[in-house]
């Protein structure tokens, strides 16, 4: 057995190998950086929190690569950034760093690391670990998902001494402060080893956060323990946490409802179960935001290389019926890629209102008839509920539609193998990363990025023009002009309809208020337990 496998097996047995999960609420989040609660659930109340998560825990665990709802929520507990952000307001606060930047418009930011910060294997956090992490993120060859959030404005990260680092910017970029939470600092002595990035993707998770992973069973559950040597601003308030991964609706609801309930909180609550759960004494709340189902087209495959065909399939969808029937009213028709509550939102120049006649006209203009479409989709429960409306809508304009929902990991494994797909429906919420429009759009629209690679569109002239416009907006120092440029590229994205939302929906979370206090539903997948506490403590 290789040394890498020996190390991996050891870490798994000792509880440092692993992963964690994602939910749909934030417990006890507030805008202040500090928590005065003691670590380890030392109060008289609940010491082990059980959560039920409606997402899989078997996708990538590499913090530089993952967009998994389950994993991202886990990583906020396992790892720290130089700065982290409040889960609701997204205001930054010092995490591994000792202070916020003094001047947000400076082109060099200097950070001192928290004295005594340790990784979960007992090794100290140093400037070398920070430089290592950012070198990985900025590496053109590695081309991590996180790279698109940093490479346009961050030139390099330099070590000053063992506890001091400098971030050198290409131009002033005040939005960098909340964005630093995406860069979770990883131990160089672990992840510089041969094969370690594959291990990270598979579940190797060693950070400096308040919780360490105790066990991990893909597709089943992940457990956490309070990290006794954590000395940061938000210590653990539970000795243990157990996050169950249950994608199917009925068993997920059963775990939290009725007299036999053995979980205190569940995310991704089905809209049809709200009244039942409230009758059981649970609190059910939602958060409206960027969460959406999107369609993504393979533009290398005819006829989806024709923008008229893509537009036709959007105009054909009876989105209001989808909201009324599948989402029980917890949804909104998109008028832009951004949701209407986003500060940068404005109605796009192209809005896909339900217009089957226009859809037929566009197909006729494109010379397309007798079109058959196989719509592959992730198996997120609320999204699966929406698929019949799409099929009925497309069938009604003469497009024969076959639905193929499947496990998220299975679908994207096929995509990564360059399967010659036609159209994919998936769920997404870039608010997991942040709120600013530049960040949200670069998650989906980045040359060479994962989503653009799937669409095979990013080498087109239309795409190159879009990316240039996005870069211009990123560099623009004047806020009003930046907003104007943002609206211009959002218009392009709406018109091109390469990857675009069908519906924005509200996420619901249910919890037992007799067991947990300080819970606030968040408008994106995931829960944040860093300030949660038992109700009786």
């Amino acid at each position: 057995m290789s040394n890498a496998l020996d190390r991996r097996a050891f870490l798994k047995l000792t509880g440092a190998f692993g992963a964690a999960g994602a939910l749909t609420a934030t417990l006890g989040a507030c805008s202040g950086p500090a928590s005065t609660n003691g670590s380890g659930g030392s109060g008289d109340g609940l010491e082990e929190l059980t959560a039920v998560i409606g997402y899989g825990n078997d996708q990538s665990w590499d913090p530089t690569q993952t967009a998994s709802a389950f994993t991202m929520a886990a990583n906020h507990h396992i790892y720290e950034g130089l700065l982290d952000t409040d889960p609701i307001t997204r205001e930054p606060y010092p995490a591994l760093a000792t202070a916020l930047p003094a001047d947000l418009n400076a082109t060099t930011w200097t950070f001192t690391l928290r004295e005594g910060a340790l990784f979960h294997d007992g090794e100290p956090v140093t400037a070398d670990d920070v430089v290592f992490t950012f070198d990985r993120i900025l590496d053109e060859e590695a081309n991590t998902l996180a790279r698109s959030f940093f490479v346009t404005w961050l030139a390099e990260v330099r070590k000053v001494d063992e506890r001091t680092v400098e971030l050198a910017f290409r131009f002033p970029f005040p939005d960098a402060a909340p964005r630093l939470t995406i860069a979770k600092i990883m131990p160089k002595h672990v992840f510089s080893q041969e094969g370690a990035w594959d291990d990270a993707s598979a579940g190797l998770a060693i950070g400096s956060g308040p919780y360490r992973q105790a066990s991990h069973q893909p597709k089943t559950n992940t457990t956490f323990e309070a990290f006794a040597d954590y000395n940061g601003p938000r210590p653990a308030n539970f000795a243990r946490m157990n996050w169950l991964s249950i994608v199917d609706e009925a068993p997920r609801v059963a775990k939290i409802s009725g007299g036999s309930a053995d979980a205190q909180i569940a995310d991704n609550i089905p809209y049809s179960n709200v009244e039942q759960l409230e009758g059981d004494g649970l609190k059910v709340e939602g958060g409206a935001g960027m969460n959406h189902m999107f369609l993504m087209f393979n533009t290398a495959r005819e006829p989806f290389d024709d923008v008229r065909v893509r537009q036709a399939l959007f105009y054909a969808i009876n989105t209001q019926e989808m909201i009324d029937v599948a989402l029980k009213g917890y949804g909104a028709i998109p008028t832009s890629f951004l949701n209407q509550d986003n500060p940068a939102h404005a109605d796009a120049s192209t809005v896909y209102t339900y217009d089957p006649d226009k859809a037929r006209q566009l197909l006729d203009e494109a010379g397309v008839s007798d079109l058959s479409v196989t719509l592959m989709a992730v198996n997120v429960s609320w999204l699966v509920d929406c698929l019949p409306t799409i099929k009925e809508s497309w069938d009604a304009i003469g497009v024969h539609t076959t639905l193929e929902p499947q496990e998220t990991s299975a679908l994207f494994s096929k995509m990564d193998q360059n399967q010659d797909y036609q159209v994919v429906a998936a769920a997404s919420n870039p608010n997991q990363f942040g709120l600013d429009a530049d960040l949200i759009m670069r998650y989906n629209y980045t040359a060479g990025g994962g989503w653009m690679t799937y669409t095979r569109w990013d080498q087109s002239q239309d795409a190159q023009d879009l990316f240039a416009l996005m870069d211009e907006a990123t560099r623009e120092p004047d806020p009003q002009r930046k907003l104007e440029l943002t609206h211009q590229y959002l218009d392009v994205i709406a018109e091109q309809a390469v990857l675009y939302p069908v519906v924005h929906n509200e996420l619901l979370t249910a919890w037992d208020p007799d067991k947990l206090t300080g819970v606030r539903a968040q408008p994106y997948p995931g829960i944040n337990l860093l300030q949660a506490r038992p109700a009786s403590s």
Side-chain angles (χ1 to χ4, degrees):
M1 183 178 292
S2 70
N3 289 337
L5 289 175
D6 285 340
R7 183 184 70 255
R8 187 173 174 183
F10 169 77
L11 291 169
K12 186 173 182 179
L13 288 171
T14 59
F17 179 89
L23 298 73
T24 317
T26 295
L27 285 77
C30 72
S31 58
S35 170
T36 58
N37 295 312
S39 173
S42 58
D44 296 330
L46 185 73
E47 288 207 353
E48 178 167 339
L49 179 143
T50 300
V52 189
I53 300 118
Y55 304 89
N57 67 342
D58 58 341
Q59 298 176 56
S60 175
W61 284 88
D62 179 353
T64 71
Q65 290 279 37
T66 192
S68 160
F70 198 110
T71 305
M72 289 192 67
N75 285 346
H76 285 308
H77 299 74
I78 295 170
Y79 293 95
E80 297 176 281
L82 290 170
L83 307 180
D84 281 325
T85 59
D86 177 82
I88 300 297
T89 68
R90 312 315 281 264
E91 286 296 317
Y93 64 88
L96 275 172
T98 58
L100 294 171
D103 180 3
L104 292 178
N105 289 302
T107 55
T108 300
W109 290 5
T110 302
F111 292 106
T112 300
L113 300 181
R114 186 176 74 234
E115 187 172 4
L118 299 176
F119 289 113
H120 296 157
D121 60 2
E123 293 296 317
V125 181
T126 70
D128 290 327
D129 301 305
V130 177
V131 172
F132 169 78
T133 299
F134 279 98
D135 283 351
R136 159 74 171 177
I137 288 172
L138 295 174
D139 183 11
E140 183 175 2
E141 183 176 350
N143 195 26
T144 65
L145 184 153
R147 184 173 186 268
S148 65
F149 301 138
F150 291 90
V151 71
T152 55
W153 53 270
L154 182 61
E156 103 180 278
V157 176
R158 301 184 288 256
K159 175 181 177 179
V160 177
D161 57 39
E162 285 302 305
R163 288 183 50 225
T164 309
V165 294
E166 284 184 350
L167 276 62
F169 292 10
R170 303 181 190 279
F171 46 82
F173 192 67
D175 287 339
R179 205 169 289 196
L180 290 180
T181 190
I182 299 170
K184 299 303 185 187
I185 305 305
M186 305 175 73
K188 179 180 179 180
H189 66 276
V190 173
F191 292 103
S192 62
Q193 301 300 312
E194 183 178 357
W197 291 117
D198 290 336
D199 292 344
S201 181
L204 179 61
I206 300 176
S208 61
Y211 288 96
R212 61 181 290 273
Q213 191 254 349
S215 68
H216 176 58
Q217 293 77 39
K219 299 182 184 294
T220 304
N221 74 304
T222 302
T223 65
F224 305 79
E225 294 177 349
F227 178 42
D229 291 326
Y230 177 76
N231 68 346
R234 295 192 172 176
N237 288 314
F238 298 93
R240 296 171 300 279
M241 298 191 298
N242 184 21
W243 291 6
L244 310 175
S245 173
I246 305 177
V247 176
D248 293 338
E249 290 183 350
R252 187 165 70 249
V253 172
K255 278 288 183 182
I256 197 171
S257 61
S260 61
D262 56 9
Q264 295 80 47
I265 185 169
D267 83 318
N268 200 9
I269 295 299
Y271 306 115
S272 58
N273 291 103
V274 172
E275 186 175 348
Q276 169 205 340
L277 294 174
E278 289 179 338
D280 288 340
L282 299 180
K283 185 77 170 177
V284 183
E285 289 186 357
M290 189 71 207
N291 207 67
H292 62 266
M293 173 176 65
F294 65 85
L295 295 182
M296 177 173 62
F297 294 89
N298 180 357
T299 64
R301 179 167 177 171
E302 295 182 350
F304 308 108
D305 58 336
D306 192 321
V307 65
R308 294 169 295 186
V309 175
R310 302 193 298 266
Q311 289 181 342
L313 293 178
F314 275 100
Y315 279 119
I317 298 173
N318 190 342
T319 307
Q320 189 59 55
E321 179 179 297
M322 178 187 295
I323 292 169
D324 294 340
V325 175
L327 303 180
K328 310 300 182 187
Y330 290 94
I333 298 173
T335 59
S336 166
F337 199 107
L338 302 176
N339 60 297
Q340 292 193 0
D341 292 334
N342 188 285
H345 175 273
D347 285 0
S349 56
T350 303
V351 176
Y352 294 101
T353 54
Y354 176 50
D355 194 339
D357 290 336
K358 186 168 187 175
R360 294 186 188 96
Q361 177 187 343
L362 286 165
L363 290 177
D364 288 342
E365 291 175 0
V368 173
S369 60
D370 299 321
L371 178 61
S372 294
V373 173
T374 297
L375 178 60
M376 299 169 61
V378 300
N379 66 338
V380 174
S381 54
W382 66 264
L383 184 147
V384 173
D385 292 341
C386 293
L387 295 179
T389 301
I390 297 181
K391 175 175 170 55
E392 292 168 8
S393 298
W394 287 357
D395 286 348
I397 63 166
V399 176
H400 178 70
T401 309
T402 301
L403 302 176
E404 286 190 359
Q406 54 201 281
E407 286 190 350
T408 300
S409 57
L411 187 152
F412 285 103
S413 290
K414 294 177 182 178
M415 302 284 285
D416 290 337
Q417 294 163 11
N418 294 315
Q419 176 170 314
D420 190 24
Y421 77 99
Q422 292 178 298
V423 189
V424 163
S428 179
N429 194 327
N431 287 164
Q432 293 178 111
F433 299 100
L435 296 179
D436 71 270
D438 178 85
L439 180 153
I440 288 170
M441 301 317 302
R442 289 188 184 280
Y443 171 62
N444 292 114
Y445 283 86
T446 292
W451 296 115
M452 289 295 95
T453 299
Y454 290 144
T455 66
R456 281 101 162 155
W457 182 73
D458 64 340
Q459 297 305 309
S460 69
Q461 186 59 54
D462 287 331
Q464 296 305 307
D465 292 344
L466 170 67
F467 300 146
L469 184 57
M470 293 174 68
D471 287 345
E472 183 182 354
T474 302
R475 294 189 300 269
E476 175 57 52
D478 179 70
Q480 185 57 42
R481 177 58 181 160
K482 180 189 288 284
L483 187 61
E484 292 172 359
L485 292 168
T486 298
H487 291 161
Q488 288 180 32
Y489 71 67
L490 287 170
D491 285 347
V492 174
I493 287 168
E495 179 186 2
Q496 289 295 323
V498 172
L499 187 157
Y500 204 72
V502 174
V503 66
H504 292 297
N505 71 305
E506 188 170 352
L507 297 173
L508 300 180
T509 300
W511 68 92
D512 185 344
D514 293 333
K515 300 290 182 60
L516 300 175
T517 188
V519 180
R520 287 189 289 162
Q522 67 186 33
Y524 56 95
I527 62 169
N528 189 302
L529 303 171
L530 298 181
Q531 292 176 288
R533 60 189 184 277
S536 57
S537 64

